[in-house]
Amino acid sequence: MKILVTGCNGQVGHCIVQQLSDSTVEFLAVDRDHLDITDQGTVFNIVRKFQPHIIINAAAYTAVDKAEEEVELSYRINRDGPKYLAQAANEIGAAILHISTDYVFSGEFDGEYKETDVTSPQGIYGESKLAGEIAVSEACERNIILRTAWVFGEHGNNFVKTMLRLGKERDKLGIVSDQYGGPTYAGDIAAALIKIAESIYDRQSIQYGIYHFSGLPHITWFDFAKTIFDVALDKQLLSKKPQLSPLSTEQYPTPAKRPANSRLSTEKIKQEFGISASDWQKALINLENYKL
């Protein structure tokens, strides 16, 4: 099996490369310096030359607030780039695995979002990611779109690292307590994508389309922060925990609106591929590896 990995220096892309390096899979990992996915000609040249069986697109514009200003760039990276990759995959008969987000939903629904639920993004980031989903699905029939949420890991910038840094700098912290979701370990997303790729390569009968993959149990940012600090104190990464105060979304305004509910149902991916939800609590066991 040959896999092309884009966005190899991002949180998920880095983990994909790590895990593929320990396997017998032949892969080509590229970042923005080696492949600008918004350059259609370059995308087609690399795909035609390498001839992958699977393309895993982990490249994305993820600066949620900045996207409100950098609209054109957001769409180029989150819609046009994935479209070119999907078109190139389709041309050579490859499959494409594309990462998307909970931000395609409004966040106003009470329960867990299923793959078939109506999308209604509330900002440019979510709109551009939804446009990417549509572009990929239209350009290549053999597509898997993996929606995830609240990604964290040892590599890159994320909420866990921010909390560890602020925990060392401050005695008191206010954390949003009315947004719910499932923290998702980047290494688990990588493992899920590789397992799906193997399933596609090994057998003909695959239900292509949209899947949700995120962490359980669902939790608020406030309780996630509390857990992070409990683990950090237990591992002596902090000498003391900062005093936490719950904040409402209104008390912590941001340029882009965040979904109040990011709970994603992971039943479909479990039934089709045998992939269980990310265990974010287990992922915090290696907290000492989260270099700031």
Side-chain angles (χ1 to χ4, degrees):
M1 177 168 61
K2 294 173 73 174
I3 298 179
L4 171 65
V5 182
T6 63
C8 68
N9 284 331
Q11 286 196 88
V12 177
H14 181 82
C15 293
I16 293 170
V17 171
Q18 277 187 322
Q19 293 176 29
L20 288 179
S21 298
D22 295 330
S23 73
T24 57
V25 174
E26 182 182 352
F27 68 94
L28 174 63
V30 292
D31 61 13
R32 70 184 73 177
D33 294 330
H34 298 98
L35 173 60
D36 177 0
I37 64 169
T38 68
D39 183 333
Q40 187 175 20
T42 305
V43 167
F44 272 78
N45 287 340
I46 284 184
V47 171
R48 286 168 181 162
K49 185 176 180 181
F50 184 61
Q51 291 286 310
H53 298 103
I54 314 279
I55 295 174
I56 301 180
N57 180 35
Y61 183 104
T62 57
V64 176
D65 290 326
K66 222 171 171 184
E68 297 298 311
E69 299 172 6
E70 298 184 334
V71 178
E72 186 182 339
L73 181 61
S74 301
Y75 273 90
R76 281 212 312 271
I77 297 172
N78 290 341
R79 177 194 61 197
D80 299 345
K83 177 175 72 176
Y84 301 149
L85 289 165
Q87 289 172 337
N90 190 62
E91 181 187 74
I92 65 167
I96 181 165
L97 278 53
H98 174 66
I99 303 170
S100 193
T101 174
D102 58 298
Y103 276 72
V104 300
F105 296 114
S106 68
E108 294 169 0
F109 177 64
D110 282 338
E112 294 182 351
Y113 278 103
K114 294 186 173 68
E115 290 81 354
T116 52
D117 284 332
V118 176
T119 53
S120 181
Q122 301 295 294
I124 298 301
Y125 170 66
E127 288 175 4
S128 65
K129 290 296 288 182
L130 179 59
E133 289 187 7
I134 295 166
V136 167
S137 62
E138 289 179 348
C140 182
E141 284 188 6
R142 300 181 69 209
N143 72 81
I144 297 285
I145 291 163
L146 193 75
R147 290 176 181 152
T148 190
W150 294 22
V151 181
F152 72 94
E154 296 91 341
H155 182 79
N157 298 316
N158 53 68
F159 184 78
V160 173
K161 286 190 176 183
T162 299
M163 289 302 102
L164 291 176
R165 177 174 54 80
L166 292 177
K168 291 179 178 179
E169 295 173 356
R170 302 185 190 177
D171 295 324
K172 297 179 180 180
L173 283 174
I175 309 290
V176 173
S177 61
D178 58 358
Q179 295 173 17
Y180 292 81
T184 315
Y185 178 53
D188 291 339
I189 301 172
L193 288 165
I194 292 169
K195 185 168 184 178
I196 292 170
E198 290 169 343
S199 297
I200 291 171
Y201 184 72
D202 290 341
R203 71 180 203 257
Q204 298 296 316
S205 178
I206 288 287
Q207 184 183 347
Y208 289 102
I210 299 170
Y211 288 85
H212 289 172
F213 179 76
S214 64
L216 285 176
H218 292 133
I219 199 167
T220 66
W221 288 115
F222 179 85
D223 289 324
F224 188 28
K226 187 174 180 297
T227 305
I228 293 164
F229 289 127
D230 285 342
V231 174
L233 194 67
D234 185 58
K235 289 180 170 290
Q236 299 181 331
L237 300 175
L238 293 174
S239 57
K240 63 174 183 174
K241 290 191 293 184
Q243 181 183 332
L244 299 183
S245 302
L247 297 178
S248 68
T249 298
E250 278 127 10
Q251 289 175 298
Y252 190 77
T254 53
K257 185 180 178 183
R258 265 66 175 169
N261 176 25
S262 291
R263 299 181 188 95
L264 300 178
S265 169
T266 54
E267 283 302 307
K268 183 181 175 184
I269 199 169
K270 180 69 181 294
Q271 290 172 4
E272 177 68 13
F273 295 106
I275 295 171
S276 299
S278 174
D279 186 344
W280 62 264
Q281 290 170 307
K282 182 180 177 183
L284 291 179
I285 291 173
N286 298 318
L287 202 60
E288 62 272 14
N289 295 327
Y290 289 66
K291 306 299 182 189
L292 304 185

